[in-house]
Amino acid sequence: MTPLTSLRTSEDEIEIINQLLLPHTTEWLPINSIPDAYDAIKSMKIRGAPAIASLASLSIAQNLSRVLKESPPPKYSGAHLDPLLDYLFTSRPTAVNLGAAIKRLRGKLDLLVKNGWEDTRALAQEIIKEARLVADEDVDRNRLMSKHGAEWLLADIAKHEKELENGKTNVLTVCNTGSLATSGYGTALGLITHLFETGNLNNAYYTQTAPYHQGSRLTSFELISLGAPSVMICDTMVGSLFQRFNIHAVVVGADRIAKNGDTANKIGTYNAAVLAARHKIPFIVVAPVSTVDLDIPNGSYIPIEQRAAIEACLVRGALHPISPATTDPAQAVVMMTPSNIDLVSGVYNPSFDVTPAELITAIVTEKGVAVKDGAAEFDLSSIV
Ligand code: MRU
């Protein structure tokens, strides 16, 4: 089976899986312009911090490559690139990977210009290479952080002589951080995949993750495709799960990690962290270095995206035979609130919350694992 991925490319062509239609319909959507990429990110047809950075970068590469094919090729300069980068940057505010990719491309351009690169064609080609690298380097680093994190968890369990279940671990995750949220393999879900591949996973529990349902629509799809043992729970069941089952860790991704370790991730992550602390369950954040924002001292500086109220009033899926209307397998979007709910002030719909460093046991990147060693905050210098 071809491994799942959020996007695929061939030369200048880019296609993404429309994640609004998963898991019932797999539709590949062509991305042919910067506005196409912007719209796909904003409407969450593609989502997940690393995946949106990859798509933004690839759309820049596509744009430059098409510009170069024009005849005669126009003179290329930073003046062409700047507004495109600014525009993409505004698509979603919380995940810093997007901003980091944009900063990286701008930095590359500035460096080349400073070093006297005058051939505009060669200059554009270098930016194209760098932009493609943003997407390409994702999978290898995901495998690396997954291995670091899984090995750390197993060592921590052994160190504290915790009882395993059937000789294996039970972990809980929130949202979707797998192949669909990255260029492949995933971050937190990568760690869980690593546990599974090495025979160390008893069960992967995952929350449905309302209101967009990244858990029940996407993480379920990935874990079932992998053949990994998994159990879905409603977001409201985390406390009950911790009371009744032997859970060895909560493992989540991140959209932005502040200098002190405070971490923004999908709404509901903070709830799970509070409950994990109460039950003394290690809480592990897994993310690439590009998710760490050393420019902000703590989580209060992280911009939290508010999504449209209507998104919290809808459920997406396919019609199920228990409904009388039924045999139509088409996609259904069902409103679950009164249709006259006040969409201006009657719904609160933040896309992310911030988990304070105090509640986080370990932060894992491709460079290694950071723990607090008794301090309230993290020193991330060894893993960035
Ligand atoms: O709103 P989303 O679906 O883009 O939110 C995704 C998350 O919160 C993920 O946990 C995070 O981006 C890490 S993905 C590897």
Side-chain angles (χ1 to χ4, degrees):
M1 195 180 117
T2 335
L4 274 174
T5 179
S6 55
L7 47 78
R8 63 187 183 196
T9 56
S10 156
E11 303 276 323
D12 283 354
E13 309 297 321
I14 310 171
E15 288 182 307
I16 60 161
I17 286 195
N18 182 356
Q19 296 192 31
L20 293 176
L21 300 186
L22 286 176
H24 301 289
T25 305
T26 302
E27 176 190 78
W28 285 97
L29 278 178
I31 300 294
N32 277 314
S33 64
I34 301 278
D36 279 0
Y38 176 94
D39 171 70
I41 295 170
K42 180 130 191 112
S43 62
M44 292 175 67
K45 292 187 183 85
I46 188 167
R47 30 66 49 202
I52 61 184
S54 293
L55 178 62
S57 303
L58 288 169
S59 71
I60 291 288
Q62 179 189 64
N63 177 283
L64 290 184
S65 162
R66 290 186 179 169
V67 164
L68 288 183
K69 283 184 189 148
E70 283 172 28
S71 173
K75 244 188 151 352
Y76 165 74
S77 76
H80 171 82
L81 201 57
D82 269 340
L84 304 181
L85 292 173
D86 287 344
Y87 174 59
L88 285 167
F89 180 69
T90 59
S91 55
R92 287 192 80 191
T94 302
V96 75
N97 311 54
L98 176 63
I102 284 169
K103 205 162 147 193
R104 175 169 165 180
L105 297 182
R106 207 167 249 144
K108 180 83 185 180
L109 180 70
D110 290 349
L111 190 72
L112 295 174
V113 171
K114 203 168 122 206
N115 288 343
W117 284 56
E118 279 172 8
D119 176 351
T120 53
R121 175 169 281 272
L123 198 69
Q125 264 152 359
E126 283 303 300
I127 303 293
I128 291 172
K129 250 195 256 166
E130 189 75 8
R132 290 189 177 145
L133 209 56
V134 172
D136 291 346
E137 65 193 16
D138 194 36
V139 181
D140 286 346
R141 75 180 175 194
N142 288 343
R143 287 186 182 276
L144 212 53
M145 69 183 82
S146 299
K147 186 168 181 296
H148 292 322
E151 286 174 355
W152 180 87
L153 173 61
L154 294 171
D156 189 66
I157 290 170
K159 183 169 137 194
H160 295 98
E161 297 177 354
K162 288 188 190 152
E163 210 175 297
L164 291 164
E165 189 168 339
N166 303 317
K168 300 174 185 184
T169 58
N170 289 319
V171 294
L172 171 73
T173 192
V174 175
C175 195
N176 170 263
T177 57
S179 297
L180 291 167
T182 61
S183 295
Y185 203 74
T187 59
L189 203 55
L191 187 158
I192 294 170
T193 303
H194 185 89
L195 288 174
F196 172 59
E197 288 170 346
T198 53
N200 288 301
L201 181 71
N202 186 64
N203 246 329
Y205 294 86
Y206 56 94
T207 62
Q208 289 183 333
T209 320
Y212 186 89
H213 294 108
Q214 288 91 335
S216 51
R217 297 190 305 106
L218 309 175
T219 298
S220 56
F221 186 54
E222 292 208 32
L223 287 167
I224 292 166
S225 307
L226 283 170
S230 61
V231 179
M232 182 189 82
I233 63 167
C234 300
D235 300 8
T236 44
M237 297 171 187
V238 176
S240 159
L241 183 82
F242 292 170
Q243 281 176 329
R244 289 164 175 267
F245 290 82
N246 180 15
I247 304 296
H248 297 95
V250 179
V251 189
V252 299
D255 286 83
R256 194 182 295 230
I257 302 172
K259 192 172 180 200
N260 70 344
D262 290 353
T263 294
N265 191 51
K266 181 50 52 196
I267 193 76
T269 302
Y270 172 53
N271 305 31
V274 172
L275 285 160
R278 155 109 188 153
H279 290 266
K280 301 193 172 34
I281 296 170
F283 189 92
I284 306 170
V285 173
V286 189
V289 170
S290 57
T291 304
V292 180
D293 187 350
L294 294 176
D295 291 340
I296 53 168
N298 61 57
S300 68
Y301 292 81
I302 301 177
I304 299 295
E305 177 185 18
Q306 300 292 319
R307 298 289 302 177
I310 187 73
E311 289 184 3
C313 304
L314 304 176
V315 187
R316 292 174 181 278
L319 291 175
H320 186 275
I322 65 169
S323 122
T326 74
T327 44
D328 183 358
Q331 287 292 320
V333 178
V334 175
M335 189 150 191
M336 57 179 180
T337 57
S339 54
N340 61 352
I341 195 167
D342 180 350
L343 292 176
V344 178
S345 58
V347 179
Y348 175 52
N349 190 18
S351 198
F352 304 96
D353 56 29
V354 176
T355 299
E358 185 197 335
L359 298 177
I360 299 171
T361 317
I363 298 182
V364 186
T365 70
E366 62 271 37
K367 300 230 170 122
V369 181
V371 290
K372 293 193 298 267
D373 278 334
E377 301 189 336
F378 283 87
D379 173 3
L380 298 177
S381 53
S382 63
I383 58 155
V384 292

